[in-house]
Amino acid sequence: MKYSANRGCISSFVVGGTGSEYGPSVAVIRKNMDVKLILAPLQGYTDAVFREIYTNHFSGVDEALAPFVSTMGEQRLKPARIKDLLPENNPNLPVVPQILGNVGGDFIFMAQHLSQYGYDTMNWNMGCPHSKIAKKRRGSGILPWPDMVETLLEEVFASGVCRLSVKVRLGRKDKDEIFKLLPVFEKYPLEEIIVHPRTGVQMYEGEADVDAFERVSRHTDHCLVYNGDITSLEKFKTIQARFPKIGKFMIGRGILADPFLPARIKGLSWDHSRELEIIKAFHDELFYTYSEKFFGPVHVTGRMKGFWAYIGPSFKNSRKPLKKLLKARDREAYKQAADAYFASSPQYCPCSHGSC
């Protein structure tokens, strides 16, 4: 079957979400408002709780790609796996579901189920770098197998079940593997190709290969989204200057380290004197919501320690003061340590973490 490839980028730009008095009420300065910023899918971090609480306190993100849901084979489905995508859990920020799998029928079954909740576009995860997933030819593990990729794409598009985008790396081990996939992609009307210019085996080590992304851009007519190492306004400006035709950018770790980063990129304004207050309000809402969601104290403190792993270095001289907080083994000990840390008026300085 022949398809007409999607040759244009569809843009619908929104400023932030709606929620608390902190983020959404910022004034808009017309800088980079023609740019669309997408929250990256970080397993264990950017779940529905994080996404919605983030929009309560910060602005600048237009859309989120949800952490992946895995196909299970034989058309099986566990309701708990798609709870994160239920409409009632995502009232503010537009979300695109991401599916991890390598069998067309299983992918279609999952997409059909998700379409019942109003989702008409899915993303195929072809980038997950973790070896346990990759060895099953899922995530980045499918990148060396263009025939498998084409088989799934053919089945999904023939079914008409959804519109589809893909998120890829340069390859599993070889950064040239993507160039065997691009001719396959050109046969299908993909909404967009999100490219993280690293190989799967690199995980997140080293620097994103911007030169390789440029090569990719010369070999496709599809809409491209740049993803990788946008951790500061200056890095964003460098990428944007090099790829002026790219209108969509995906950011993950940069937002966790500096939640104001999308607003910096968009040129939004806020009361900088209240940054610590805003971050504390965001932190506290996360903590209390996770406390209601998870029963085990380790689950709650584990989630919050993950939060500090990213944002902690954005505070000056934070390593020693945060030790007590990171050693907390139960919720009460954690809460006391977190309250004490914020009460000490730590200096929020994301420039020290490369975020300004």
Side-chain angles (χ1 to χ4, degrees):
M1 187 178 295
K2 293 184 178 180
Y3 303 91
S4 297
N6 178 13
R7 302 305 186 191
C9 295
I10 301 172
S11 302
S12 97
F13 304 116
V14 183
V15 181
T18 57
S20 82
E21 60 186 297
Y22 298 122
S25 61
V26 296
V28 176
I29 303 172
R30 288 289 171 182
K31 296 179 181 178
N32 282 323
M33 293 309 296
D34 57 340
V35 164
K36 185 171 184 178
L37 300 181
I38 306 169
L39 177 65
L42 297 178
Q43 209 75 16
Y45 291 96
T46 60
D47 60 7
V49 171
F50 178 94
R51 295 192 298 267
E52 293 311 306
I53 293 176
Y54 180 87
T55 61
N56 287 344
H57 301 277
F58 304 98
S59 293
V61 171
D62 300 294
E63 179 183 285
L65 186 58
F68 67 76
V69 290
S70 298
T71 59
M72 299 180 65
E74 299 179 2
Q75 299 192 349
R76 291 182 295 132
L77 178 68
K78 290 183 179 179
R81 291 198 175 195
I82 53 97
K83 187 176 180 180
D84 188 71
L85 291 165
L86 296 179
E88 59 265 32
N89 294 331
N90 296 277
N92 296 333
L93 191 63
V95 174
V96 174
Q98 185 182 70
I99 300 175
L100 178 77
N102 58 14
V103 177
D106 297 337
F107 193 104
I108 292 166
F109 172 75
M110 180 65 75
Q112 286 174 332
H113 188 84
L114 293 173
S115 69
Q116 298 175 23
Y117 300 108
Y119 295 108
D120 63 359
T121 302
M122 311 293 163
N123 177 268
W124 184 14
N125 182 320
M126 299 172 63
C128 181
H130 297 288
S131 59
K132 288 184 178 180
I133 288 173
K135 70 181 181 181
K136 298 178 181 178
R137 296 187 186 179
R138 292 180 166 211
S140 64
I142 201 172
L143 297 176
W145 305 95
D147 289 345
M148 287 185 66
V149 172
E150 183 162 10
T151 296
L152 187 142
L153 290 176
E154 181 62 32
E155 291 182 30
V156 171
F157 279 105
S159 75
V161 66
C162 64
R163 297 189 295 182
L164 186 67
S165 66
V166 296
K167 187 174 188 299
V168 302
R169 289 197 173 215
L170 299 175
R172 177 58 192 164
K173 296 180 180 179
D174 184 344
K175 66 181 181 180
D176 288 331
E177 288 170 358
I178 192 171
F179 295 102
K180 294 181 180 179
L181 288 171
L182 290 177
V184 175
F185 292 155
E186 292 302 295
K187 298 177 182 180
Y188 299 93
L190 296 171
E191 295 299 302
E192 59 195 19
I193 303 173
I194 305 167
V195 180
H196 183 140
R198 283 185 173 90
T199 62
V201 294
Q202 277 184 274
M203 297 292 287
Y204 298 95
E205 298 298 322
E207 294 185 357
D209 191 339
V210 181
D211 292 336
F213 184 89
E214 183 173 0
R215 288 178 60 205
V216 171
S217 71
R218 296 199 302 263
H219 285 81
T220 182
D221 290 324
H222 279 303
C223 175
L224 291 182
V225 178
Y226 180 88
N227 172 221
D229 292 1
I230 299 178
T231 55
S232 69
L233 177 57
E234 288 307 314
K235 286 190 176 182
F236 171 80
K237 287 180 177 179
T238 299
I239 296 296
Q240 186 185 42
R242 185 159 179 180
F243 305 110
K245 293 183 179 180
I246 301 295
K248 298 182 181 181
F249 300 84
M250 179 171 284
I251 309 175
R253 293 173 295 159
I255 291 177
L256 296 182
D258 177 18
F260 294 99
L261 180 57
R264 298 184 201 281
I265 291 171
K266 288 289 185 72
L268 306 180
S269 64
W270 65 93
D271 186 348
H272 291 261
S273 68
R274 299 180 65 198
E275 286 183 345
L276 184 62
E277 179 185 350
I278 295 169
I279 292 170
K280 184 180 187 303
F282 172 53
H283 166 276
D284 289 353
E285 190 175 355
L286 269 181
F287 173 71
Y288 287 118
T289 306
Y290 281 138
S291 294
E292 293 176 353
K293 180 178 180 180
F294 298 118
F295 295 102
V298 175
H299 289 134
V300 177
T301 57
R303 284 283 177 133
M304 299 311 300
K305 289 174 185 179
F307 168 85
W308 286 106
Y310 284 98
I311 202 170
S314 294
F315 288 89
K316 274 194 172 181
N317 304 314
S318 64
R319 181 174 296 181
K320 187 175 181 179
L322 284 175
K323 277 187 176 180
K324 186 174 182 180
L325 185 153
L326 296 175
K327 288 181 178 179
R329 295 186 177 182
D330 58 61
R331 298 178 202 181
E332 189 56 36
Y334 174 87
K335 182 179 182 303
Q336 291 178 2
D339 287 345
Y341 181 74
F342 281 114
S344 69
S345 299
Q347 186 176 357
Y348 182 65
C349 185
C351 291
S352 63
H353 193 49
S355 297
C356 293

